[in-house]
Structure formats: C-alpha cells, structure tokens
Amino acid sequence: MSDVPSCLGYGLGLRSAYYQQILDDEPAVDWFEIISENFMVQGGKALYYLDAIAERYPIVMHGVSLSIGGPHPLDHDYLAQLKALAGRVRPAWVADHLCWSRGNAHQLHDLLPLPYTEESLRYVAGRVCEVQQVLERPLVLENVSSYVRSAADEFSEWEFLCALSQLSGCELLLDVNNVYVSSRNHGFDPWQFIKGLPPQRVRQLHLAGHQDYGDYVIDTHDHPVCDPVWELYQRTLEHLGPVATLLERDDHFPPLEQLLAELDKARELGCQALAGRQRCA
C-alpha cells in the first residue's frame, strides 16, 4: 500500500466548466480528481487552472488511455508524460481502468472489458508491474461497466480483480455505479461483486449516474446518482469502512451548486453508513 492517507474524504471530478468558480468560491470539496490526459500538455489554460487548484486542494490522477489489457506494447512515451504530470501535481494516487482501449495503432476511445482468463491475468499483471516500476508507485485500477462478456471467462470480474491485486500489488478503484450497471446487464448480484474484493486493497470509490433502458443500462455519467446505487454505496461503506469517495459527472453539466448538493448527500449517507458500522462492531 502507498503511504498516502487511505481516505481523502469526498471529492469531485475537476471539469473545465467549473474551473473559475472553484477558484472564486473555494467550495467545500475535500479533493478533486483530474482526467490525466487533459493535462498532459506543455502549457495553456488547463495547466494554469490545475496548478492554481492544486495549491488549494489534494489532487488524484485518473487516466483513460493506459489500455493496461491491450494487445499492444505499453506506450512508454505516454508513461513518461504521465510520470511528469504526477511530479507536477503530486497526486495522492494515480488511477486508470482495467480494460483495453486501443489496438496496435489507434485509440478506440472506449473502455472495453477483458477476457477473465488465467492467460489474461498473467499478461495484465506483468504489465501492471511494468507501469508501477516506471511510475514508482502502486497503480490503482477501476472496474469498468460492461455490456458483453467473453465466452472464455475462467473467473468472475471480482475474482479477476482480487487475483490481479495479489499478483501485482496494484490497488483498486471500486466504481459502485459500474458494478450496478454491469450487474443489471449480466444478471449477477452486485453485492457478491463488492464483498468478493479484498477490502484492504480498495483505495477509492466512484459514484455516478447512468441511463436505464429497462432491459439494459448504459453508463453515461450524465445523470444524478440513482437510489439503488446510493443504497449499494452505503452498504459498501458499512463493509469497507472509510474510503475516499468521488462524484463523477462527464456530460449534461449542471450548475456547480447542484453537484455540491449531491456531494453533500454522499457525505451524509456515508456518515450514516460508517456510524452503523461502528454500532455493529
């Protein structure tokens, strides 16, 4: 485990629509998560705002282009830029997704699930270790939402994540919304997924909204968190104890005040869940 505090509190995704208001108002947010690739540039307004906000709030880096499970060699130019950005903002941790997102030449701009096989596990674990050697820190990997599964699967997704963390030493970003979305699409019990993860490896939680079409659910991050995800979140905290929680919004951006109210709801429900955990201890 890394030597940063295990729980930063309650954070928001840092999005350009809110840069200036964050600096002007200094809202009651414990930390901000950035999309790493948005700031892997030589200069400009984005870095100006990031530097200014990082002086006032802790930062976590969250990437979308590592493609840790892809068939291509790891991109060491990308890793060098990622490490340089980490040196600039001194993040509490660096995260990405357990997925593949490019072929040999092109980024697909999607987070695609892996086959959960022994061969895949050994392959990904070796790549995680390579990334961690470059970054000189544990990598934190997020479960993705999915809509198809491999017929060759030998593990459940949570069994794969557990084994990967044991083999590589990586930590886990548990996206509660993604668990719910995938459970609806594939027909498994979301609580079985969460309780199957090693609690000591879970570094961060994500909350977000989605589009529910009845027979299937699409992870869009453009709606408020729904009641079943709130309920699953509370049960997760009762099980895990305090874990840093992030509220994500990637489209249909409301006024910042609405996101802050939703973050306050996460904080209130989290406090209730942790109080219940203490009573049961």
Side-chain angles (χ1 to χ4, degrees):
M1 297 289 284
S2 57
D3 58 0
V4 299
S6 61
C7 184
L8 289 179
Y10 294 84
L12 282 179
L14 182 62
R15 303 295 183 260
S16 59
Y18 307 121
Y19 287 165
Q20 190 61 53
Q21 189 174 356
I22 290 167
L23 290 180
D24 290 343
D25 298 347
E26 296 191 10
V29 176
D30 295 326
W31 55 285
F32 286 98
E33 180 187 85
I34 66 171
I35 296 175
S36 303
E37 289 79 4
N38 288 346
F39 302 93
M40 291 166 62
V41 293
Q42 295 301 311
K45 188 171 287 188
L47 277 180
Y48 163 80
Y49 279 110
L50 176 59
D51 288 343
I53 292 169
E55 289 180 358
R56 307 181 193 189
Y57 295 91
I59 299 294
V60 164
M61 289 170 51
H62 188 54
V64 295
S65 301
L66 179 60
S67 191
I68 195 66
H72 52 83
L74 286 168
D75 185 339
H76 280 265
D77 289 338
Y78 171 86
L79 291 177
Q81 293 179 62
L82 192 66
K83 185 175 182 180
L85 180 61
R88 182 181 189 126
V89 303
R90 300 184 301 279
W93 53 83
V94 177
D96 207 290
H97 300 80
L98 179 63
C99 70
W100 64 282
S101 59
R102 58 175 290 189
N104 288 324
H106 302 291
Q107 275 289 345
L108 302 176
H109 301 291
D110 207 345
L111 306 173
L112 301 170
L114 307 178
Y116 300 126
T117 64
E118 185 70 31
E119 180 183 11
S120 178
L121 175 63
R122 300 291 172 180
Y123 174 74
V124 175
R127 286 163 67 89
V128 170
C129 290
E130 186 177 348
V131 170
Q132 291 178 150
Q133 288 175 354
V134 173
L135 297 182
E136 300 180 284
R137 61 170 73 222
L139 181 64
V140 182
L141 287 174
E142 176 184 349
N143 58 293
V144 297
S145 53
S146 63
Y147 312 95
V148 295
R149 299 180 65 174
S150 168
D153 282 354
E154 298 167 0
F155 303 92
S156 66
E157 185 178 359
W158 54 93
E159 289 170 338
F160 191 94
L161 283 162
C162 185
L164 180 62
S165 69
Q166 291 173 344
L167 276 177
S168 69
C170 74
E171 298 174 347
L172 303 177
L173 194 170
L174 171 55
D175 190 311
V176 180
N177 177 68
N178 288 358
V179 173
Y180 177 79
V181 168
S182 295
S183 75
R184 288 278 306 277
N185 290 334
H186 300 306
F188 64 79
D189 178 359
W191 183 240
Q192 184 180 9
F193 185 119
I194 291 169
K195 73 178 183 181
L197 298 178
Q200 72 278 9
R201 307 303 300 177
V202 178
R203 172 62 70 185
Q204 180 185 343
L205 303 177
H206 269 179
L207 293 169
H210 55 255
Q211 292 267 24
D212 190 334
Y213 294 96
D215 292 337
Y216 60 94
V217 183
I218 302 294
D219 179 26
T220 55
H221 287 190
D222 62 358
H223 279 64
V225 179
C226 70
D227 288 343
V229 172
W230 283 127
E231 292 166 7
L232 190 59
Y233 170 63
Q234 284 195 285
R235 192 175 182 187
T236 299
L237 281 186
E238 289 173 357
H239 172 62
L240 295 177
V243 182
T245 296
L246 182 96
L247 178 66
E248 286 190 292
R249 181 64 72 93
D250 290 328
D251 203 356
H252 298 167
F253 295 108
L256 181 59
E257 291 74 15
Q258 290 186 24
L259 283 186
L260 294 174
E262 194 172 13
L263 188 65
D264 285 342
K265 180 175 181 177
R267 186 179 284 109
E268 178 182 357
L269 293 176
C271 288
Q272 292 174 9
L274 294 173
R277 172 185 169 86
Q278 291 177 349
R279 287 193 298 268
C280 294

